[in-house]
Amino acid sequence: MRILVLWANEAQPNLGVSALGAGARTLALRAFPDAEISFHSTGGTDLPGNDGPIIITVPKSLFAGFLLNRRGFRTWLRSFDLILDTRAGDSFASIYGMKRLVTMSILPLMARILRVPIVLMPQTIGPFESVTARGIARVVMRSASAVMVRDVGSVRAAEELGVEPDALATDVVFSLPRPERRPEHDVLLNVSGLLWADNPHVDSVLYRRTVRAVIDGLEADGRKVALLEHSVDNGTDFDNDAVACRELNREYGDRFRVLSPSTVTEVRETVAGAQLVIGARMHACLNSLSTGTPTIPMAYSRKFAPLFEGLDWPRTVDLRTEADPAQLILEHARADLQPGVQHSLSIAESRTERVVEVLRAVASVSATPGTGHPS
């Protein structure tokens, strides 16, 4: 069986998207141990690990490639027995712009024309802020062989568009192996480059002020803080945790250790070595909890709270709505969080197994693996 994982890649500079790729691979191999796995994420053919002749610049380039079979695009797409559409975890929405939604929706619809089954892997669905966006979402979900979500908010978003999800799962990162916990750090603070600069999600000035207040409060409590990058240095100043961590560290006289893991394995080993992780990158927090480390998520969108609440982990602090987010973060940090971790992990494991069951069910009613698909 040949499987294509869309919009996630283990080589992605954003370690959250990289974790999605690794998790999708793990779940696919749990369902089909002999499967051959390929990836294609954002970034085009120049991103290491991306397979296939896809050149994604604007939607019309995809149409041209499909209709004219440029560089064997249609032949390549037809060669897969199953496509796992991750949408980078939270991009099946209109909040990142219509271009992104349209571009990511075209490819799976083309695959369905070629009769290649599509599964929407566990992800956040919505919000869709226009009639056009809702129409696209409805068509994509109805054309999929299965729709899986990772939180109850996404269940409601799908149901509002007339689609009943096949599974309420959780994030695929919980399928990854857990490294041994060897505490080397006290508190790891993930500073998000996305929020440090001007952004459409939260007030960057307020975010910076909150981060400083958290550091000051932790240190006043006698805690030792290190900084954690979770979107590795991408050579730009935008959405770059390295830039934010360097700037923050300079403010404090470069006294903090800055941890810069470059792979999913490294970041999971790093967070498994902490007593507590506080982060504004959702997957920094998910990597932490899934390795057994307590975490305090600093939410900047609706994707955070429903996912963690679904795991009975009520420690999310919403930067958009909380009057004093730093104070609430510090209150959580002073509590004994470790006893609740195993309970959340047990919930995650049962929901992860459901993903494997859905994948096998889709394969059982699809074309025989290895025979290809008619055009």
Side-chain angles (χ1 to χ4, degrees):
M1 170 175 278
R2 298 191 72 236
I3 297 175
L4 174 64
V5 175
L6 265 183
W7 315 124
N9 182 339
E10 293 167 307
Q12 190 81 17
N14 184 312
L15 293 178
V17 180
S18 181
L20 289 170
R25 177 198 286 276
T26 300
L27 289 167
L29 291 176
R30 279 174 62 173
F32 315 108
D34 298 324
E36 174 189 337
I37 314 293
S38 297
F39 295 88
H40 197 92
S41 186
T42 55
T45 54
D46 56 344
L47 179 68
N50 269 6
D51 183 61
I54 305 177
I55 299 177
I56 299 177
T57 52
V58 293
K60 67 180 181 180
S61 67
L62 277 175
F63 280 117
F66 182 79
L67 294 174
L68 303 176
N69 199 27
R70 287 179 177 170
R71 304 173 65 200
F73 171 49
R74 193 168 62 241
T75 304
W76 171 78
L77 197 58
R78 192 189 294 128
S79 72
F80 293 100
D81 300 291
L82 181 63
I83 294 179
L84 308 182
D85 186 351
T86 72
R87 296 293 172 118
D90 67 347
S91 291
F92 195 19
S94 60
I95 58 174
Y96 296 111
M98 284 298 296
K99 178 182 175 182
R100 186 176 183 87
L101 176 62
V102 170
T103 301
M104 285 189 166
S105 298
I106 290 172
L107 193 55
L109 292 176
M110 288 175 173
R112 288 302 284 158
I113 292 173
L114 300 176
R115 303 186 191 178
V116 183
I118 304 289
V119 171
L120 291 178
M121 291 294 280
Q123 59 190 270
T124 301
I125 293 180
F128 303 104
E129 302 166 316
S130 69
V131 172
T132 301
R134 289 191 289 274
I136 292 171
R138 186 180 294 109
V139 169
V140 169
M141 286 191 286
R142 288 181 175 175
S143 68
S145 297
V147 176
M148 292 185 278
V149 298
R150 60 186 184 184
D151 62 83
V152 293
S154 296
V155 172
R156 290 192 292 269
E159 289 176 342
E160 288 171 0
L161 295 175
V163 176
E164 183 72 29
D166 296 271
L168 169 58
T170 189
D171 195 89
V172 299
V173 74
F174 285 92
S175 69
L176 297 178
R178 294 178 203 162
E180 183 179 352
R181 281 184 52 74
R182 295 178 178 176
E184 301 175 10
H185 313 287
D186 185 10
V187 180
L188 294 183
L189 177 62
N190 163 239
V191 184
S192 170
L194 176 66
L195 305 184
W196 193 258
D198 289 340
N199 66 89
H201 306 289
V202 299
D203 181 344
S204 61
V205 174
L206 175 61
Y207 173 68
R208 293 182 183 210
R209 185 183 307 134
T210 298
V211 169
R212 296 183 189 105
V214 168
I215 291 175
D216 296 343
L218 288 169
E219 292 192 327
D221 289 342
R223 306 296 297 264
K224 185 174 178 60
V225 177
L227 305 182
L228 172 67
E229 299 171 9
H230 200 267
S231 184
V232 297
D233 201 336
N234 55 24
T236 71
D237 290 341
F238 175 72
D239 198 11
N240 188 335
D241 292 1
V243 171
C245 285
R246 285 196 296 265
E247 184 174 329
L248 177 65
N249 206 13
R250 282 195 298 269
E251 292 181 19
Y252 282 83
D254 290 318
R255 72 170 182 259
F256 301 125
R257 183 179 178 185
V258 179
L259 304 175
S260 307
S262 60
T263 67
V264 173
T265 299
E266 288 180 8
V267 78
R268 290 177 64 76
E269 290 173 348
T270 299
V271 296
Q275 297 291 347
L276 173 67
V277 172
I278 303 172
R281 295 284 186 181
M282 190 173 76
H283 269 90
C285 301
L286 288 171
N287 268 316
S288 303
L289 188 58
S290 66
T291 61
T293 299
T295 185
I296 303 172
M298 301 170 70
Y300 65 84
S301 76
R302 62 146 252 207
K303 69 181 180 180
F304 284 75
L307 201 164
F308 284 99
E309 288 170 1
L311 298 171
D312 202 13
W313 187 260
R315 302 295 178 176
T316 300
V317 176
D318 197 323
L319 297 173
R320 304 166 303 166
T321 60
E322 187 63 38
D324 190 349
Q327 183 58 39
L328 184 54
I329 290 167
L330 292 170
E331 289 176 11
H332 287 318
R334 291 166 186 147
D336 183 7
L337 303 182
Q338 191 64 52
V341 171
Q342 191 55 52
H343 173 60
S344 294
L345 291 176
S346 298
I347 295 173
E349 178 54 36
S350 64
R351 292 190 175 186
T352 298
E353 186 56 37
R354 176 62 181 144
V355 177
V356 176
E357 294 170 358
V358 169
L359 293 178
R360 289 173 176 161
V362 169
S364 70
V365 297
S366 300
T368 301
T371 61
H373 304 273
S375 59

